[in-house]
């Protein structure tokens, strides 16, 4: 391992026979990096889906060794309290991508909120945050934890990118979007995505309805003037109101509706609404879901919107 090392990226190689096969190798590499004579690492990426006490010990040692240099950290492994403390004390940190909870035994919401509060207090200069926070299955009927997390994250006033992976759909209000704009004046990429570790689960969870109507979209364009990309699940209930006022969003370029349900409003109504609200150059994307008819409505809407604008049709976003 060289003292000139600036970036380290390691992750488990999944195989049919053994998803754990590369853990000893990852541990050895991370431990060797922790034993370098002087701090030099600026970017550290570790991705592993299972908890391993020995690996976590090596990871924490690596963070401690290079704490003065690390500006970008990706940590996709279950944390302990020492890991959180080390992250709180990375003075150069600007980009953080973490999945700190075990998907098998998620921590109680009070503990999660406590860690988020400390993160905001100790790392107020973060520019990019990706946060993967699964909540217990019995709590998916209540997305209030995510609303509280978002409220806490509004203290990060330098954010340019926020990606929050969730296991329950969000329900946002006009006032919350307005507060986002006041709190995140530099935000460019705002994404609320289906939790990556839960892709095999029904989404949205049974009994959960998407609450964000497409009529909320203008609020994002009005109140977040630097916004370039928004990923959020929407409903399209009739009738969609006629857009009021102007939407000064010249930099906005991607609306990703993900796995939003098929619109109840007519295709013509949805297409006309999007054409009136979005900048002409903005793309509308959706996530293709296996199965007949699962995404045909959004595909048709995107094709019709492109046709209305005189552009060639596209087929989803692949994600």
């Amino acid at each position: 391992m060289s003292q000139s090392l600036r970036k380290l990226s390691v992750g488990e190689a999944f195989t049919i026979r053994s998803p754990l096969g590369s853990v000893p190798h990852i541990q050895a590499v991370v431990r060797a990096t922790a034993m370098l004579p002087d701090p030099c690492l600026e970017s550290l990426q570790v991705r592993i889906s299972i908890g391993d006490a020995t690996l976590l010990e090596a990871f924490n040692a690596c963070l401690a060794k290079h704490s003065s240099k690390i500006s970008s950290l990706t940590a996709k492994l279950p944390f302990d309290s020492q890991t959180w403390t080390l992250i709180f004390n990375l003075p150069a940190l600007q980009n953080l991508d973490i999945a700190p909870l075990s998907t098998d035994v998620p921590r109680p919401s009070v503990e999660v909120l406590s860690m988020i509060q400390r993160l905001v207090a100790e790392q107020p200069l973060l520019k990019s945050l990706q946060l993967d926070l699964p909540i217990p299955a019995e709590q998916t009927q209540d997305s209030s934890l995510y609303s509280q997390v978002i409220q806490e994250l509004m203290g990060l006033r330098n954010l340019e990118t926020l990606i929050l992976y969730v296991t329950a759909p969000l329900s946002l209000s006009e006032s919350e979007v307005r507060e986002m704009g006041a709190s995140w004046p530099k935000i460019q990429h705002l994404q609320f995505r289906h939790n990556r570790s839960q892709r095999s689960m029904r989404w949205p969870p049974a009994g959960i309805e998407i609450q964000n109507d497409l009529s909320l979209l203008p609020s994002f364009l009005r109140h977040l003037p630097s916004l370039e990309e928004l990923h959020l699940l929407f409903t399209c209930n009739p009738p969609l109101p006629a857009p009021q006022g102007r939407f000064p969003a010249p930099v906005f370029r991607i609306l990703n509706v993900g796995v939003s349900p098929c619109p109840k409003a007519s295709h013509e109504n949805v297409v006309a609404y999007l054409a009136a609200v979005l900048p002409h150059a903005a793309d509308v994307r959706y996530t293709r879901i296996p199965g007949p008819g699962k995404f045909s409505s959004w595909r048709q809407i995107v094709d019709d919107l492109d046709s209305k604008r005189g552009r060639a049709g596209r087929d989803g976003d692949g994600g």
Side-chain angles (χ1 to χ4, degrees):
M1 196 65 67
S2 170
Q3 185 63 58
S4 63
L5 183 66
R6 296 293 178 268
K7 179 178 179 179
L8 177 65
S9 179
V10 291
E12 61 186 329
F14 288 94
T15 67
I16 295 176
R17 292 183 178 180
S18 176
L20 309 181
S22 63
V23 172
H25 172 71
I26 296 172
Q27 176 190 325
V29 171
V30 173
R31 188 171 296 282
T33 307
M35 296 178 68
L36 288 170
D38 301 305
C40 61
L41 203 61
E42 297 173 359
S43 175
L44 174 60
Q45 301 178 8
V46 177
R47 296 178 173 89
I48 185 167
S49 63
I50 52 93
D52 183 277
T54 306
L55 173 59
L56 184 59
E57 180 183 352
F59 177 75
N60 287 344
C62 190
L63 278 182
K65 166 62 74 172
H66 301 280
S67 61
S68 63
K69 298 287 187 180
I70 292 176
S71 62
S72 180
L73 176 64
T74 297
K76 302 301 178 65
L77 72 169
F79 286 6
D80 62 11
S81 59
Q82 182 184 1
T83 313
W84 278 110
T85 300
L86 289 165
I87 291 175
F88 297 151
N89 290 281
L90 298 176
L93 190 64
Q94 293 189 353
N95 305 305
L96 180 62
D97 181 359
I98 55 175
L101 305 182
S102 167
T103 57
D104 297 324
V105 189
R107 291 186 178 90
S109 58
V110 173
E111 184 178 348
V112 172
L113 283 174
S114 176
M115 294 298 100
I116 298 301
Q117 289 168 351
R118 280 206 60 191
L119 177 66
V120 172
E122 302 292 345
Q123 294 291 354
L125 301 182
L126 277 176
K127 291 184 177 180
S128 176
L129 176 62
Q130 296 189 46
L131 192 56
D132 201 332
L133 286 179
I135 61 176
E138 64 271 14
Q139 295 181 19
T140 55
Q141 296 282 344
D142 179 12
S143 62
S144 62
L145 170 62
Y146 293 125
S147 296
Q148 294 174 67
V149 168
I150 291 170
Q151 190 69 36
E152 295 296 339
L153 294 178
M154 288 182 187
L156 296 174
R157 299 187 61 84
N158 286 286
L159 274 185
E160 297 173 2
T161 297
L162 174 62
I163 303 176
L164 180 62
Y165 291 89
V166 302
T167 52
L170 299 176
S171 177
L172 300 174
S173 67
E174 161 78 25
S175 62
E176 286 174 313
V177 176
R178 189 183 307 114
E179 191 172 359
M180 289 179 191
S183 302
W184 300 326
K186 301 178 182 179
I187 201 77
Q188 298 172 15
H189 305 278
L190 183 59
Q191 301 182 27
F192 303 107
R193 287 179 168 267
H194 177 196
N195 181 277
R196 287 171 289 190
S197 63
Q198 307 289 321
R199 285 199 180 275
S200 62
M201 294 174 57
R202 173 189 171 94
W203 186 257
I208 300 293
E209 294 186 1
I210 308 300
Q211 299 294 326
N212 306 304
D213 192 78
L214 190 62
S215 58
L216 189 63
L217 176 59
S219 298
F220 286 95
L221 302 184
R222 285 194 183 101
H223 300 301
L224 286 78
S226 298
L227 191 64
E228 298 179 13
E229 178 180 10
L230 174 65
H231 186 128
L232 182 65
L233 271 61
F234 286 105
T235 59
C236 301
N237 294 318
L240 285 171
Q244 301 293 323
R246 294 174 56 83
F247 309 102
V251 299
F252 190 81
R253 56 186 178 84
I254 297 174
L255 170 65
N256 195 324
V257 299
V259 292
S260 293
C262 295
K264 296 180 180 178
S266 70
H267 286 197
E268 294 78 8
N269 189 194
V270 177
V271 170
Y273 188 83
L274 291 173
V277 171
L278 293 175
H280 183 79
D283 286 338
V284 177
R285 300 179 181 178
Y286 58 93
T287 300
R288 289 173 288 181
I289 305 173
K294 292 292 186 179
F295 63 91
S296 58
S297 292
W298 279 108
R299 179 174 59 186
Q300 188 63 54
I301 287 169
V302 170
D303 287 348
D304 289 351
L305 180 62
D306 285 340
S307 178
K308 186 179 181 71
R309 293 168 163 177
R311 293 158 56 179
R314 287 166 287 110
D315 187 15
D317 71 350

